[in-house]
Amino acid sequence: MYEDALIPKLGVVTQIRVETPDVKTFRVVGADGKKPFVHIPGQCAMLSIPGVGEALFSITSSPTVEEYIEFSIKKCGCVTDWLHSMEPGQNVTIRGPYGNGFPVDTDFVGKDLLFVAGGIGLAPLHSVINYCRAHREKYGQIDVVYGSRSMGDLVDYKEILDDWMKEDGINVHLTIDNPQPEWDGHVGFVPNYVTELKPDISKTVVMCGPPVMIKFTLAGLMDLGFDRKNIYTTLELRMKCAIGRCGRCNIGSKFVCKDGPVFRFDELDELPNEY
Amino acid sequence: MKKISKAKIDELFKAISAKETLYIPVDDSEGQAAFIPYAEGLKMSEDLNTVRSAKDLFFPQVESLVNFKMDGKHIEIIDAATEKKPFVIFGVRACDARSFDILDRVFYYAEPKDSFYIERRDKSTVVTLACNAPEETCFCGAFGIDPAEPAGDVSAWQDGESFFFKANTEKGEALLAGLPLEDAADDAADKVKEDIRKITAMLPLKDLDLSKFGPGKTQELFNDPAWATLSESCLGCGTCTFVCPTCQCFDIRDFDGGKEIRRYRCWDSCMYSDFTQMSAGQPRPTQKERFRQRFMHKLVYYPDMHEGLFSCVGCGRCLRKCPIHMNIVKVIKTIGEEK
Ligand SMILES: Cc1cc2nc3c(=O)[nH]c(=O)nc-3n(C[C@H](O)[C@H](O)[C@H](O)COP(=O)(O)OP(=O)(O)OC[C@H]3O[C@@H](n4cnc5c(N)ncnc54)[C@H](O)[C@@H]3O)c2cc1C
Ligand code: SF4
Ligand code: SF4
Ligand code: FES
């Protein structure tokens, strides 16, 4: 077989979990039944259904999981519709891992971490959060602020309730946009919730979610006195090759697929505002 | 140095093409030059530059990556790579020869390497040809390219009677060794070079000032108001990107042929509106942003990523082909001079 980074390998979807009305989590192994590759939290992979196309997704499982990798995928177009309609046992093609990932073994070590996620934005953070939980001794306090439109739109809700919220080393703050009869937690938008919680400005913040959430959360953190060097986010641009070759995903002199998708805000300040 | 009389050029082409595929620039019925495989009777074009550059031979406009078969839940991955045979390109101009260096940095040296491109590059021998008559649209000199001293595995020159050849690489030496050539003095092409340099010294664009561009200029140039006026009448047709020897953007697509699904890549253009279109939004909503991307990439972003090397070789193709007469020279002059 001809070898090139653009030629994918075969994968098998072994499990599909329904997370929300439009998000499912897919468990993928290689053709040999093993984990297809080792990744860093925050990295992505290209999944494809031949004839439909390829699309890039964050790897949501932690690198500490030895048996498989997982993706949480929102239904929004050709490839994602197809993935949502399939059954376990289906072959897909896979290539990766791509991107820089989060500095979990360098800059994050010894820091108090505040994760802020909105909607499907939890996908890239899920991997980091579980990696940090697995290496709990390396980090300070861990806080997670996670919000969605409604209770039913919270991704990984069961795992959050059963694992994260029962653990001592991690504080989870959930919120939904509007009140619901069966919800007794916080109601309101993520950015406001973050400022209400008055996080200490020594924390390292990792944000992921829709652009409006990022914008207002960032503004709130700036008002509190946070340093942009300590705030991380991931960017999403249209991608085809995911390896810095096809010329599609640059912002100025950086390729989001290769130099990102993880950026610090002080790094983004250096780039033209074109994302 | 080696030489052959011009009357015997067909003998030379026959000798090369007996062993490997030989591409030479040939005019079609409308006088448009393109590199095509040599066959007896074909005459080499006198044109300075082919309409499309020789990059097609390393990075074809459409290329299969891999094939698939789908059967229920089962997918089979099938090799689509075809065997690539050694080939020779004859008559590449100095500007296009530099464009290969620019593409090499993206496809040959950057990780992960592009196997398709590398295989073609490794199997090729490039014979360049000095430009006896550089045109008014040429500005290779602005990028430090000397049309009298083209790079490549073999450099060639021509005067009224003869072609002269000098090998620059082992591949070039191997090619020349097997050909019916005569020996020539080392300075045999000097007169030709001198004449060429006399012409380049008089070209209207020879003093094009690039000092406002290059690495580190993003902040300074990105919000320049001139982008709006320069891009105003751009049609977004993408012609400039398709004829450009250094443009490298591609798309990856699937074609379902019934029995098999073919995944291929094909040239794409940053001048097209759907290039960066996402469900969540569009980072380059108008032609202004797309236009700016093309020129900023050539003059600032690429140099940022590649030690100051510009991603334009001054071939002048975009000057000749743009339907609205917009081009990189106007960009360089407008943005470069206003500061
Ligand atoms: C770094 C990165 C990480 C991502 N992680 C996740 C993830 O964990 N989970 C998840 O559900 N999605 C993720 N995405 C988004 C995902 O790649 C797109 O939703 C997907 O490409 C859409 O493919 P499709 O074939 O279903 O849609 P298409 O039918 O191709 O397109 C539907 C619409 O989406 C647009 N589109 C194409 N590419 C993208 C893109 N990259 N982002 C947004 N819209 C796009 C199309 O232009 C069109 O308007 C990520 C994207 C990037 C770049
Ligand atoms: S930008 Fe124009 S002049 Fe420069 S290399 Fe491309 S086609 Fe030639
Ligand atoms: S600059 Fe000219 S050739 Fe290029 S896209 Fe615009 S109109 Fe077409
Ligand atoms: S997706 Fe091709 S360069 Fe980033």
Side-chain angles (χ1 to χ4, degrees):
Chain A
M1 185 74 200
Y2 202 74
E3 296 265 339
D4 187 78
L6 294 177
I7 298 177
K9 301 261 185 299
L10 210 54
V12 189
V13 173
T14 55
Q15 197 198 81
I16 303 173
R17 297 196 301 277
V18 177
E19 298 281 0
T20 76
D22 58 4
V23 178
K24 287 182 179 178
T25 295
F26 299 80
R27 182 169 292 181
V28 179
V29 298
D32 57 2
K34 299 199 177 110
K35 183 166 153 172
F37 45 70
V38 178
H39 74 283
I40 303 166
Q43 282 190 309
C44 303
M46 274 284 183
L47 291 184
S48 102
I49 299 294
V52 185
E54 272 190 317
L56 194 72
F57 303 102
S58 302
I59 302 161
T60 42
S61 53
S62 163
T64 46
V65 176
E66 307 273 349
E67 299 81 19
Y68 54 80
I69 55 174
E70 284 188 344
F71 302 89
S72 292
I73 297 175
K74 186 170 170 167
K75 185 173 150 86
C76 71
C78 304
V79 175
T80 51
D81 284 357
W82 215 100
L83 291 168
H84 270 252
S85 68
M86 73 190 201
E87 305 273 327
Q90 170 73 48
N91 276 158
V92 289
T93 76
I94 180 163
R95 57 186 181 90
Y98 297 130
N100 56 355
F102 288 100
V104 283
D105 293 321
T106 51
D107 296 0
F108 284 8
V109 176
K111 300 278 166 54
D112 290 341
L113 302 173
L114 168 62
F115 296 97
V116 181
I120 186 72
L122 188 67
L125 296 193
H126 187 269
S127 176
V128 206
I129 294 170
N130 279 349
Y131 183 86
C132 293
R133 287 174 57 226
H135 297 96
R136 193 63 197 82
E137 70 292 347
K138 285 184 126 172
Y139 310 98
Q141 202 185 324
I142 298 180
D143 286 274
V144 178
V145 180
Y146 178 40
S148 254
R149 269 173 310 186
S150 72
M151 218 175 130
D153 288 302
L154 289 165
V155 179
D156 299 309
Y157 190 42
K158 194 170 162 355
E159 182 187 359
I160 295 173
L161 288 183
D162 295 352
D163 299 338
W164 298 6
M165 293 185 95
K166 291 199 175 132
E167 238 167 66
D168 284 340
I170 166 169
N171 300 312
V172 184
H173 316 268
L174 297 178
T175 183
I176 58 173
D177 291 355
N178 298 303
Q180 260 177 277
E182 59 279 38
W183 178 259
D184 61 0
H186 188 276
V187 175
F189 296 123
V190 169
N192 302 339
Y193 196 19
V194 171
T195 23
E196 279 167 34
L197 290 166
K198 293 206 173 46
D200 193 278
I201 59 166
S202 66
K203 286 182 195 295
T204 294
V205 185
V206 187
M207 283 201 280
C208 220
V212 279
M213 183 208 92
I214 303 275
K215 188 175 155 203
F216 289 111
T217 309
L218 181 69
L221 293 172
M222 290 293 101
D223 287 344
L224 289 169
F226 273 82
D227 188 336
R228 293 164 87 86
K229 281 206 291 294
N230 296 330
I231 310 175
Y232 293 75
T233 192
T234 68
L235 294 186
E236 241 186 66
L237 287 184
R238 184 152 191 191
M239 295 188 183
K240 285 285 176 174
C241 72
I243 52 178
R245 234 189 246 172
C246 76
R248 191 168 307 261
C249 72
N250 72 299
I251 302 173
S253 305
K254 300 277 179 208
F255 284 112
V256 173
C257 64
K258 206 173 171 173
D259 304 310
V262 176
F263 291 94
R264 291 194 320 256
F265 274 94
D266 63 315
E267 293 171 328
L268 291 179
D269 292 341
E270 301 286 308
L271 299 180
N273 184 12
E274 199 174 39
Y275 47 88
Chain B
M1 185 143 331
K2 300 273 181 192
K3 70 168 182 179
I4 191 165
S5 136
K6 279 195 155 170
K8 292 187 183 163
I9 189 69
D10 275 323
E11 270 176 47
L12 183 77
F13 289 162
K14 269 185 228 159
I16 300 174
S17 62
K19 288 187 224 152
E20 310 176 52
T21 308
L22 166 66
Y23 292 90
I24 62 166
V26 175
D27 291 329
D28 69 10
S29 53
E30 274 141 40
Q32 308 253 48
F35 283 97
I36 61 168
Y38 173 77
E40 237 183 293
L42 284 181
K43 289 275 163 282
M44 191 163 85
S45 168
E46 295 289 323
D47 251 18
L48 189 67
N49 252 322
T50 47
V51 175
R52 296 196 339 192
S53 87
K55 82 174 172 193
D56 291 49
L57 295 170
F58 302 121
F59 173 42
Q61 185 165 5
V62 182
E63 164 164 48
S64 288
L65 299 172
V66 63
N67 292 333
F68 304 99
K69 258 190 195 144
M70 296 272 285
D71 182 12
K73 288 183 173 180
H74 186 70
I75 296 174
E76 190 186 343
I77 302 181
I78 303 160
D79 221 330
T82 46
E83 199 199 338
K84 295 168 190 68
K85 300 214 173 75
F87 64 95
V88 176
I89 320 177
F90 190 100
V92 173
R93 303 297 179 162
C95 52
D96 280 9
R98 164 73 68 83
S99 79
F100 302 157
D101 294 344
I102 291 164
L103 296 174
D104 280 355
R105 285 166 177 259
V106 177
F107 294 117
Y108 203 108
Y109 296 111
E111 293 292 341
K113 298 181 187 307
D114 193 295
S115 316
F116 300 91
Y117 179 89
I118 289 178
E119 204 183 341
R120 291 202 180 85
R121 277 295 265 148
D122 285 345
K123 289 190 170 163
S124 71
T125 309
V126 175
V127 182
T128 57
L129 182 58
C131 305
N132 287 44
E135 288 174 11
E136 290 191 343
T137 49
C138 294
F139 55 108
C140 57
F143 302 101
I145 301 166
D146 180 359
E149 205 67 69
D153 296 302
V154 174
S155 310
W157 295 265
Q158 56 177 324
D159 62 14
E161 278 92 54
S162 311
F163 282 101
F164 302 95
F165 302 96
K166 180 168 77 74
N168 305 316
T169 65
E170 276 178 28
K171 261 198 284 187
E173 271 167 28
L175 176 73
L176 293 190
L179 297 176
L181 300 169
E182 296 165 41
D183 285 330
D186 278 349
D187 60 0
D190 284 6
K191 173 76 176 62
V192 181
K193 293 183 199 175
E194 220 175 277
D195 291 345
I196 295 172
R197 287 179 186 137
K198 271 185 209 149
I199 299 177
T200 48
M202 295 186 310
L203 289 179
L205 298 175
K206 71 172 172 14
D207 294 322
L208 199 63
D209 179 10
L210 285 156
S211 60
K212 300 288 186 302
F213 302 90
K217 301 285 191 193
T218 302
Q219 298 289 359
E220 205 175 306
L221 302 179
F222 191 81
N223 290 317
D224 196 301
W227 293 118
T229 40
L230 284 166
S231 63
E232 215 164 38
S233 33
C234 173
L235 309 169
C237 66
T239 302
C240 52
T241 56
F242 281 72
V243 298
C244 179
T246 69
C247 272
Q248 71 200 40
C249 292
F250 62 83
D251 192 4
I252 299 174
R253 289 166 176 259
D254 287 2
F255 172 73
D256 193 341
K259 276 199 202 123
E260 265 184 23
I261 293 154
R262 175 178 172 224
R263 178 160 299 163
Y264 61 97
R265 70 166 159 199
C266 53
W267 295 353
D268 204 343
S269 174
C270 60
M271 286 292 202
Y272 294 157
S273 59
D274 63 355
F275 191 68
T276 51
Q277 180 68 52
M278 292 184 292
S279 54
Q282 163 63 287
R284 298 187 196 134
T286 71
Q287 200 57 24
K288 179 184 122 184
E289 292 84 25
R290 297 164 209 143
F291 184 94
R292 173 172 62 194
Q293 162 64 20
R294 174 161 198 268
F295 297 102
M296 284 292 280
H297 181 250
K298 301 229 176 283
L299 300 171
V300 180
Y301 307 155
Y302 185 97
D304 252 340
M305 295 183 250
H306 300 283
E307 292 109 31
L309 186 68
F310 288 106
S311 176
C312 170
V313 296
C315 70
R317 285 185 177 88
C318 62
L319 280 70
R320 289 192 292 270
K321 292 293 171 195
C322 173
I324 57 139
H325 306 291
M326 182 35 68
N327 58 64
I328 195 160
V329 170
K330 284 190 184 161
V331 170
I332 294 169
K333 285 190 169 168
T334 308
I335 292 197
E337 276 167 17
E338 70 189 18
K339 290 271 146 57

